[in-house]
């Protein structure tokens, strides 16, 4: 049983409300994929020394509450220098980007990484992790304010998503070796055409609502690989991918190598406003809902 201090919101929460997420629970359920808090009690067979530990939890549901009961293997002890808000904002965004770039795309130092939606919850972490892995990072986002956030996260080059010919701008910069796409739609189509031979495209999500159709003949002509990633899915069939990744990420955080960006922090009674920030795309990085204040 966890006394919940904070819950990080994700685009998946909006899809769950509509019943369109691939892992939408049966109703009734409580929103909130990821959370942080303090373990207050453990069930039979669990390690009693965990009581009192501060943990980050990838729960899949139940985060927008004051208390919750979760499987013990979903609870990861937080680094001592990590706040509850940072822990609640950490696992899905950083985990998605690290597994995508390292495990799936095998991003190499010196390659060019193109991040679409670079100021969003996962996009911003892709910029930060890609830079840490030694890539040259091109960030695409809408508007000067969002591009400034991406630049501060480490982007080498920033391009406004509203430019007339995104494809030509990317090609003029040498093209992309790896594309990280959580947006879909026209941005995906432009990036696809600017991907270098032997490039890898990571299909992370389709926040635009437009799921692009990929011409297979173009894939074979340019030797391009399209790699789908549903981060939470590994929990069911290969959990070691997630646990190994999270161990690396928490180590980087403890060393001061990662800086979660939280643009908004609202109390539980304003959770509807917090969700609206995601829906209207007025947030950058993560939106966090807070419950109990730590003692």
């Amino acid at each position: 049983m966890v006394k919940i201090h904070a819950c990080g919101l994700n685009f998946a929460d909006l899809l769950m409300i509509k019943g369109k997420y691939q892992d939408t629970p049966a109703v009734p359920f409580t929103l909130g994929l990821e959370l942080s808090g303090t373990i207050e009690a453990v069930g039979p067979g669990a390690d009693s020394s965990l009581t009192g530990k501060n943990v980050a939890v990838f729960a899949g549901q139940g985060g927008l509450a004051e208390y919750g009961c979760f499987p013990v293997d979903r609870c990861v002890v937080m680094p001592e220098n990590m706040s509850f808000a940072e822990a609640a904002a950490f696992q899905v965004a950083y985990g998605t980007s690290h597994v995508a770039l390292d495990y799936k795309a095998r991003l190499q130092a010196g390659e060019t990484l193109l991040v679409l939606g670079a100021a969003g919850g996962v996009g911003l972490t892709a910029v930060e992790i890609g830079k840490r892995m030694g890539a040259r990072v091109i960030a695409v986002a809408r508007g000067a304010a969002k591009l400034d956030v991406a630049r501060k996260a480490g982007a080498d080059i920033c391009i406004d998503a509203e430019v007339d010919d995104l494809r030509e701008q990317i090609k003029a910069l040498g093209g992309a070796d790896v594309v990280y796409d959580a947006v879909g739609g026209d941005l995906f189509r432009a990036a696809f055409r600017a991907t270098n031979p032997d490039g890898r495209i990571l299909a992370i999500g389709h926040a635009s609502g437009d799921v692009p159709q990929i011409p297979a003949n173009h894939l074979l002509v340019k030797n391009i690989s399209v790699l789908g990633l549903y981060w939470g899915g590994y929990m069911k069939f290969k959990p070691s991918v997630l646990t190994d990744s999270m161990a690396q990420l928490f180590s980087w955080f403890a060393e001061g190598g990662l800086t979660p960006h939280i643009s908004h922090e609202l109390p539980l009674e304003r959770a509807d406003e917090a969700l609206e920030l995601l829906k209207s795309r007025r947030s950058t990085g993560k939106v966090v809902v807070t419950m109990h204040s730590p003692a």
Side-chain angles (χ1 to χ4, degrees), residues 194-210:
T195 300
N196 292 330
D198 210 24
R200 291 87 75 201
I201 300 176
L202 290 156
I204 306 298
H206 313 101
S208 66
D210 180 350

Side-chain angles (χ1 to χ4, degrees), residues 167-180:
R167 172 201 179 192
E168 290 306 318
Q169 289 219 22
I170 297 166
K171 290 185 72 174
L173 292 166
D177 300 308
V178 175
V179 176
Y180 183 101

